[in-house]
Amino acid sequence: MQESNTFNVKRRQLLKLSGALAGGIALAGLNRSALANAASGNTPFTTPTADNPIRINFNENPLGMSPKAQAAARDAVAKANRYAKDEIVTLRSKLASLHQVPESAILLTAGSSEGIRAAIEAYATLGTQLVIPELTYGDGEHFARIAGMKITKVPMLAGWQFDIDGLKQAVASYSGPSLVYLVNPNNPTATITPADLIEPWIAAKPANTMFIVDEAYAEFVNDPRFRSVNPLVSQGADNVILLKTFSKIFAMAGMRVGYAVAQPAIVAHLSNHVAGEKINFCGVDAALASLDDHAFITYSKKSNDTSRQILLDALIALKISYLPSEGNFVFHQLSVPLKEFQQHMKQAGVLIGRAFPPADAWCRISLGTPQEMTFVAKTLHEFRAKGWV
Ligand code: PLP
């Protein structure tokens, strides 16, 4: 059976090899709070205010970077008069081994945003259409508009699921080339599209079609129906670009490190659309440290699972519908206008997600720390008493 994601595969292998499982178990007890304090810079939970709100509006990781990554980034400052030449080579090589591809199959980018832009620009030849589900992460459409591409949006199925048959149809009925941008798990819905729907489509190699698969949130997934497209790439598929980021599970959003994984010829093509893989020194060293910090990866995932459950318990108790979340955010239904809900939340010291048309009666709440989500759950119960939710 294929594993749900590459980091999990390697982590399990390494945990087995080094006997570090015991360390992981200890994490559930005392070590966990020590790690939490270290990661968050020892900031204890304080009741939020309008000036110091709980920020659960941008799908950021609330834990802070791993203590080891923070130390690596601090140390890198002293070297940052230089370009991170050797370190970039090391990072590329480490990622290549993690994804079981040659080094030439990895392109480092300034966050996965730069990867999305590069992939779209590289394939935005005259007459190419971008095919996207109607409700998905906006960068694909944004960069395609700048590139002057035709954009084909396919309506969603019930439960805001991707209509893979509809997407296939959009590709098949178009006379020119297609770029298909699939976000899995999707944002803002946090739902997955089962691999059994994606893999055969890519493997069938529809003519003149390149797939960009954005797996920014893959490490948070629990649903076994999800599988990364990584094995397709490592087995030679030449019609798919996998995009990854250090912004989510590794809590490095502000460091701006991401990468693309694809066949070397595709990577060479993409590399014409980035500024020479000149990733910042602090980000590169923090990424290297993060990849080795298996305890933090485990902690980051567990903390997200705990926070999600706290929020879901509140939504269930309040009979608020939500979509099954496989990311670090939850998409739930509203019974009041989003603007009103946002405003009340802001007054309570909580910043929540923006509007995501066409899902106008829905709200995205990113997952903060378990303590933050306990506060949010309590706030939701209070809002119900006031008729605000
Ligand atoms: N892809 C998806 C699906 C996202 O949700 C985001 C950010 O939220 C990004 C890419 C961009 O992230 P970054 O540029 O920080 O890697």
Side-chain angles (χ1 to χ4, degrees):
M1 200 186 95
Q2 279 169 303
E3 294 286 343
S4 63
N5 66 64
T6 312
F7 288 121
N8 279 342
V9 179
K10 288 279 168 175
R11 192 174 69 232
R12 279 187 210 131
Q13 285 168 351
L14 279 157
L15 285 174
K16 263 190 207 151
L17 276 175
S18 64
L21 203 53
I25 291 163
L27 214 66
L30 273 182
N31 287 355
R32 195 163 163 187
S33 62
L35 187 53
N37 283 338
S40 64
N42 275 323
T43 319
F45 178 78
T46 49
T47 304
T49 60
D51 290 339
N52 185 24
I54 293 178
R55 294 172 190 277
I56 45 175
N57 47 345
F58 289 129
N59 292 355
E60 295 158 339
N61 188 325
L63 300 176
M65 278 160 50
S66 110
K68 288 178 185 164
Q70 291 190 27
R74 272 194 300 274
D75 290 348
V77 171
K79 307 185 274 182
N81 56 317
R82 308 285 176 196
Y83 296 111
K85 292 257 180 225
D86 294 346
E87 292 76 4
I88 282 176
V89 171
T90 309
L91 180 57
R92 205 188 293 121
S93 149
K94 216 172 176 120
L95 290 170
S97 113
L98 189 65
H99 289 278
Q100 295 168 334
V101 292
E103 285 167 28
S104 52
I106 303 282
L107 179 73
L108 296 174
T109 53
S112 53
S113 307
E114 193 187 27
I116 300 170
R117 198 199 66 199
I120 285 181
E121 274 184 21
Y123 289 91
T125 50
L126 196 67
T128 303
Q129 66 163 350
L130 179 79
V131 177
I132 46 172
E134 194 174 17
L135 181 61
T136 193
Y137 186 58
D139 267 13
E141 178 178 354
H142 172 69
F143 292 123
R145 278 199 193 288
I146 294 170
M149 290 175 77
K150 169 184 159 62
I151 294 162
T152 304
K153 289 191 188 184
V154 174
M156 309 295 283
L157 296 177
W160 300 110
Q161 287 291 319
F162 286 178
D163 178 3
I164 295 292
D165 286 338
L167 291 159
K168 280 183 186 170
Q169 187 55 33
V171 168
S173 61
Y174 187 63
S175 54
S178 294
L179 251 184
V180 182
Y181 176 55
L182 294 176
V183 180
N184 201 19
N186 189 29
N187 179 11
T189 59
T191 50
I192 58 126
T193 302
D196 287 350
L197 296 180
I198 296 177
E199 285 168 357
W201 188 19
I202 298 177
K205 293 204 169 189
N208 276 333
T209 304
M210 178 61 73
F211 292 88
I212 304 170
V213 182
D214 180 339
E215 295 183 0
Y217 300 100
E219 292 74 25
F220 294 113
V221 172
N222 293 310
D223 189 332
R225 293 173 308 157
F226 171 86
R227 283 188 299 274
S228 172
V229 295
N230 190 168
L232 295 181
V233 180
S234 54
Q235 287 156 26
D238 61 359
N239 59 344
V240 57
I241 299 165
L242 165 61
L243 296 179
K244 297 292 299 172
T245 181
F246 281 86
S247 296
K248 307 299 178 183
I249 192 82
F250 295 119
M252 281 180 44
M255 281 286 171
R256 313 307 305 132
V257 186
Y259 56 100
V261 190
Q263 297 313 310
I266 298 175
V267 163
H269 188 39
L270 297 185
S271 70
N272 292 329
H273 298 271
V274 299
E277 253 189 334
K278 294 195 181 84
I279 306 302
N280 80 85
F281 221 134
C282 299
V284 172
D285 276 4
L288 282 167
S290 291
L291 289 172
D292 286 338
D293 195 346
H294 306 287
F296 183 81
I297 300 171
T298 305
Y299 169 61
S300 188
K301 164 82 169 60
K302 277 190 180 164
S303 173
N304 190 66
D305 283 342
T306 305
S307 290
R308 184 194 290 118
Q309 200 52 53
I310 293 167
L311 179 58
L312 295 190
D313 287 348
L315 296 177
I316 292 164
L318 297 170
K319 299 193 166 39
I320 297 172
S321 306
Y322 60 88
L323 300 184
S325 163
E326 299 292 332
N328 64 344
F329 49 103
V330 172
F331 206 47
H332 71 82
Q333 214 159 6
L334 289 169
S335 53
V336 294
L338 176 63
K339 267 198 180 338
E340 243 174 61
F341 185 56
Q342 281 171 326
Q343 199 51 38
H344 285 136
M345 278 295 217
K346 195 172 172 187
Q347 281 158 5
V350 183
L351 303 183
I352 55 168
R354 60 188 178 278
F356 289 99
D360 297 321
W362 290 74
C363 173
R364 188 191 73 184
I365 292 190
S366 308
L367 296 170
T369 62
Q371 283 171 308
E372 287 174 335
M373 297 324 286
T374 302
F375 181 89
V376 171
K378 182 171 111 348
T379 304
L380 288 174
H381 280 281
E382 288 165 5
F383 279 16
R384 172 55 58 83
K386 294 175 178 164
W388 290 353
V389 70

